[in-house]
């Protein structure tokens, strides 16, 4: 992925780690330094463009990674650049991996609920022209080392088939522990403890907690006693949850089509079983006929009534549509 600015100078390392501050890394000595605000704008452009490309590759209705979402969450993005592109131009970006700690309720193999806070794989993308060349693995390995976490300790937010194959090939992750949310966890998740590294996302919080409680952080701990209402957080919410809102049109467009017979295929289960969950829009749009029927239930706005009386034919497109309606329906206007 190329950009109209010098990516190579902006990101001196092959892999750059970005957090919510989206700070431009220190530049190589000798390189001219534009205003810091311009550099941050360039970082934001890269994050936005990567997010869009990833959403397109996963057929998501909207990006789940953007500069603004990075700034409002405590996520970390590992960005891989193409070091071979330098002589030809301004460098290029190969892909990225976004991770973050999330509080989740997960089921163990006895179907007991466990409150955990694992590192989650939230978004992962390698540019189409670079896929299956080992770049995904390079990025993933770097993240594992930096976060000091083992692959089986991770929770994956709605993995694609490609990612499931990737995890199976490189890390032998195959057997999943079935869940009722969108996260996938693998066998071994509950068997090992994970202490985050001092430089990781949770470092400060963990250090503070360790001073009080010397027991090591476990990836899974049993549910605590019931807490006060105010304490309860929306656990297990996938980073992709907001897409539901993004695709939901306002009333009456959000009315699901009435069905007389059950659908030929049941809707995909929003579970964490081994099969890849549906990644398209979560609710179908109403068909045009249904929409028109809904709109006709509303009394027309005075201006619309005026237009209808002064222009009996309407536009050619309108004429085409209304002429297909049954006469009785048309007469209601
Ligand atoms: C939580 C989430 O982020 S889910 C979304 C994951 N992202 C996507 O699906 C976006 C599109 N895909 C991609 O960007 C990439 O394919 C990634 C990130 C999944 C993997 O990156 P790559 O650089 O291709 O991986 P890398 O080269 O290290 O490993 C290749 C292995 O990944 C898996 N893989 C990669 N592409 C494919 C594919 N098109 N079909 C099936 N398996 C694939 C295979 O196991 C492959 O091994 P193989 O070529 O021997 O079959």
């Amino acid at each position: 992925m190329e950009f109209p600015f010098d990516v190579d100078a902006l990101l001196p390392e092959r892999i750059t780690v970005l957090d919510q501050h989206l700070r431009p890394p220190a530049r190589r000595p000798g390189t001219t330094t534009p205003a810091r605000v311009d550099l941050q704008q360039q970082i934001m452009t890269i994050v936005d463009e990567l997010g869009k490309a990833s959403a397109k590759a996963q057929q998501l209705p909207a990006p789940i990674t953007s500069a603004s979402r990075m700034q409002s969450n405590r996520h970390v993005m590992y960005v891989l650049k193409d070091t071979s592109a330098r002589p030809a131009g301004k460098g290029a970006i190969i892909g990225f991996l976004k991770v973050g700690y999330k509080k989740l309720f997960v089921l163990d193999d006895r179907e007991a609920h466990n409150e955990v806070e694992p590192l989650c794989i939230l978004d992962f993308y390698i540019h189409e022209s670079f896929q299956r060349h080992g770049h995904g693995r390079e990025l993933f390995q770097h993240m594992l080392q930096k976060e000091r976490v083992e692959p089986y300790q991770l929770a994956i937010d709605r993995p694609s088939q490609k990612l499931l194959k990737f995890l199976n090939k490189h890390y032998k992750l195959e057997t999943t522990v079935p869940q009722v949310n969108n996260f996938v966890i693998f066998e071994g998740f509950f068997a090992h403890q994970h202490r985050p590294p001092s430089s990781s996302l949770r470092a400060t919080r963990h250090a503070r907690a360790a001073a009080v409680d010397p027991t090591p952080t476990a990836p899974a701990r049993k549910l605590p006693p019931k807490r006060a209402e105010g304490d309860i957080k929306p656990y297990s919410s996938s980073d992709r949850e907001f897409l539901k809102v993004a695709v939901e049109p306002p009333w009456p467009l959000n009315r699901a089509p009435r069905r007389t017979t059950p659908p030929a295929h049941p809707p995909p289960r929003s579970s964490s079983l081994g099969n890849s969950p549906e990644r398209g829009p979560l609710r179908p749009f109403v068909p045009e006929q249904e929409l028109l029927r809904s709109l006709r239930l509303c009394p027309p706005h005075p201006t619309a009534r005026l237009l209808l009386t002064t222009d009996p034919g309407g536009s050619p497109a309108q004429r085409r549509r209304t002429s297909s309606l049954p006469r009785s329906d048309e007469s209601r206007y």
Side-chain angles (χ1 to χ4, degrees):
M1 266 179 105
E2 288 176 9
F3 293 87
F5 42 83
D6 194 341
V7 167
D8 199 51
L10 179 67
L11 309 176
E13 303 297 328
R14 183 161 164 82
I15 297 178
T16 301
V17 186
L18 297 172
D19 63 13
Q20 68 182 141
H21 303 295
L22 297 179
R23 267 190 217 105
R27 289 165 83 84
R28 286 194 206 101
T31 26
T32 48
T33 309
R36 205 151 175 84
V37 61
D38 294 343
L39 294 177
Q40 183 164 42
Q41 192 52 54
Q42 291 177 357
I43 297 270
M44 291 168 83
T45 304
I46 290 176
V47 172
D48 283 340
E49 291 307 312
L50 283 173
K52 283 186 215 161
S54 178
K56 196 168 166 208
Q58 298 175 57
Q59 295 171 357
L60 300 174
I64 50 172
T65 297
S66 66
S68 64
R69 283 179 68 78
M70 277 297 291
Q71 285 170 324
S72 55
N73 287 286
R74 288 173 61 86
H75 296 158
V76 165
M77 231 175 127
Y78 290 82
V79 179
L80 179 66
K81 78 167 183 181
D82 181 9
T83 35
S84 67
R86 181 61 192 163
K90 298 168 173 173
I93 300 291
I94 294 177
F96 76 98
L97 172 59
K98 186 175 80 173
V99 297
Y101 282 93
K102 272 185 175 284
K103 284 196 173 163
L104 305 175
F105 281 124
V106 290
L107 300 175
D108 59 27
D109 51 6
R110 286 168 298 141
E111 297 191 6
H113 282 90
N114 295 264
E115 185 188 11
V116 292
E117 193 175 1
L119 188 67
C120 300
I121 303 297
L122 303 172
D123 202 1
F124 190 16
Y125 170 71
I126 296 292
H127 189 270
E128 284 68 14
S129 60
F130 287 98
Q131 286 177 18
R132 290 185 133 160
H133 285 76
H135 296 297
R137 181 164 194 270
E138 180 184 353
L139 209 43
F140 209 87
Q141 274 302 120
H142 188 93
M143 179 279 295
L144 291 174
Q145 271 178 3
K146 195 97 176 123
E147 298 293 335
R148 296 226 319 253
V149 62
E150 297 295 333
Y152 49 76
Q153 294 173 318
L154 298 166
I156 327 283
D157 188 356
R158 288 186 110 188
S160 63
Q161 280 296 344
K162 286 184 186 181
L163 181 52
L164 289 171
K165 291 224 165 79
F166 170 94
L167 293 170
N168 184 225
K169 177 185 167 132
H170 296 305
Y171 302 106
K172 306 282 170 273
L173 294 176
E174 190 168 15
T175 312
T176 59
V177 184
Q179 300 298 316
V180 288
N181 56 34
N182 285 319
F183 287 86
V184 165
I185 58 169
F186 291 90
E187 205 172 58
F189 182 87
F190 293 102
H192 301 83
Q193 294 186 336
H194 168 227
R195 188 196 284 272
S198 54
S199 61
S200 84
L201 287 164
R202 283 200 303 174
T204 335
R205 197 154 31 123
H206 180 71
R208 241 183 273 130
V212 185
D213 176 8
T215 49
T217 312
R221 64 194 153 88
K222 293 287 172 201
L223 276 174
K226 200 172 182 316
R227 287 179 292 180
E229 282 297 298
D231 271 1
I232 297 172
K233 304 219 173 62
Y235 287 175
S236 302
S237 72
S238 154
D239 238 45
R240 292 148 199 255
E241 282 303 289
F242 85 100
L243 293 175
K244 279 188 196 166
V245 178
V247 297
E248 178 103 334
W251 186 91
L253 306 173
N254 63 351
R255 289 185 51 201
R258 257 175 262 127
R259 286 182 197 277
T260 45
T261 48
H265 302 288
R269 277 183 63 199
S270 177
S271 77
S272 303
L273 295 170
N275 53 338
S276 179
E278 179 92 347
R279 302 177 80 74
L282 295 159
R283 197 163 174 188
F285 285 100
V286 274
E288 190 183 27
Q289 288 297 323
E290 177 76 11
L291 165 64
L292 287 171
R293 224 172 286 132
S294 308
L295 287 172
R296 280 196 299 276
L297 295 175
C298 312
H301 188 276
T303 319
R305 208 177 287 136
L306 184 70
L307 281 172
L308 284 165
T309 47
T310 51
D311 179 12
S315 70
Q318 240 176 338
R319 269 200 302 277
R320 262 199 309 281
R321 279 194 203 140
T322 49
S323 63
S324 66
L325 291 171
R327 300 298 310 169
S328 58
D329 278 345
E330 272 183 287
S331 63
R332 272 192 228 157
Y333 285 103

